[in-house]
Amino acid sequence: MALLPILTAPDPRLKKKSLPVETVDDGVRRLMDDMLETMYDAPGIGLAAPQVGVLKRIIVLDIDREDTKTGPLFMANPEIVEASDEDVSYEEGCLSVPDHYSDVVRPATVTVRYLDRDGLLQELACDGLLATCVQHEIDHLDGVLFIDHISALKRNMILRKLLKARKEQERDEAERGPAKAKAKDPEPAI
Ligand code: ZN
């Protein structure tokens, strides 16, 4: 397995629509495994292929906590086939929007249909953090970030700060060479 570089906003590749996977073959499984390792290392609880620059409809998730022992989930071509009328607000973060969090309102429960790591068709009813995470990751496959769900004012402020941080990092690296270790994010991001 290998760690893959994670793209950060405003990278134009994060705004592209990803293409469906034709078959879940060894190449897709290798990508899924690399994505999972990259997600754990970040650390995060969800990762979509476009976040590592691959425009394929693939996501990985692991929201393992005391109350929800789902283990890692691998999904190719995930689609929401049912969503509740009831909405819920959750403070979301994203590995591609580092250090920024915002409340996003989404359906509280969803059913997702997808191909698993063996290429078998599955359906999974999701609630709580898993429902939020699945919707956040599927958004990535359509070029949508959580900041696209908030006000333009707040979104532009976050994007300006990300650009500034990137420029500062590039300047520091030009002066001192690449940073040896990145600071670990205290909150898991999706
Ligand atoms: Zn994300």
Side-chain angles (χ1 to χ4, degrees):
M1 293 206 278
L3 291 179
L4 307 167
I6 297 176
L7 307 181
T8 55
D11 191 302
R13 286 169 287 182
L14 293 169
K15 303 302 294 173
K16 296 229 160 73
K17 206 170 160 71
S18 292
L19 294 171
V21 171
E22 281 180 27
T23 47
V24 180
D25 55 17
D26 286 346
V28 167
R29 275 187 281 275
R30 199 174 311 124
L31 175 62
M32 286 171 161
D33 293 342
D34 288 346
M35 283 171 58
L36 191 74
E37 191 185 0
T38 302
M39 183 194 82
Y40 285 144
D41 179 72
I45 56 174
L47 190 70
Q51 291 182 275
V52 292
V54 179
L55 294 177
K56 288 184 182 166
R57 300 189 79 84
I58 297 170
I59 63 176
V60 297
L61 312 148
D62 190 348
I63 58 151
D64 212 3
R65 295 186 310 186
E66 287 303 305
D67 52 336
T68 45
K69 291 262 180 230
T70 53
L73 288 165
F74 304 89
M75 299 184 182
N77 304 340
E79 52 175 325
I80 305 289
V81 292
E82 238 180 84
S84 62
D85 293 332
E86 186 201 341
D87 286 335
V88 72
S89 174
Y90 185 85
E91 188 179 44
E92 296 188 22
C94 179
L95 295 175
S96 295
V97 188
D99 303 325
H100 294 278
Y101 299 86
S102 222
D103 284 329
V104 177
V105 176
R106 301 180 188 272
T109 65
V110 293
T111 301
V112 59
R113 186 181 293 159
Y114 62 96
L115 297 174
D116 68 14
R117 199 175 171 282
D118 297 316
L120 300 173
L121 190 66
Q122 304 281 358
E123 259 189 33
L124 183 68
C126 310
D127 62 7
L129 179 59
L130 183 59
T132 293
C133 195
V134 161
Q135 294 175 81
H136 175 116
E137 299 311 331
I138 292 177
D139 266 359
H140 274 300
L141 307 181
D142 294 317
V144 175
L145 302 174
F146 82 88
I147 51 173
D148 294 316
H149 290 281
I150 63 178
S151 73
L153 189 74
K154 194 157 183 208
R155 174 168 63 250
N156 290 333
M157 189 191 75
I158 289 174
L159 288 171
R160 269 202 309 274
K161 282 185 182 167
L162 287 173
L163 267 181
K164 190 164 166 244
R166 186 186 300 174
K167 280 193 191 126
E168 278 170 8
Q169 192 187 346
E170 281 168 1
R171 199 191 54 213
D172 286 356
E173 285 181 7
E175 283 170 7
R176 294 200 304 259
K180 285 203 173 57
K182 61 188 166 160
K184 289 284 180 186
D185 203 323
E187 292 289 324
I190 50 185

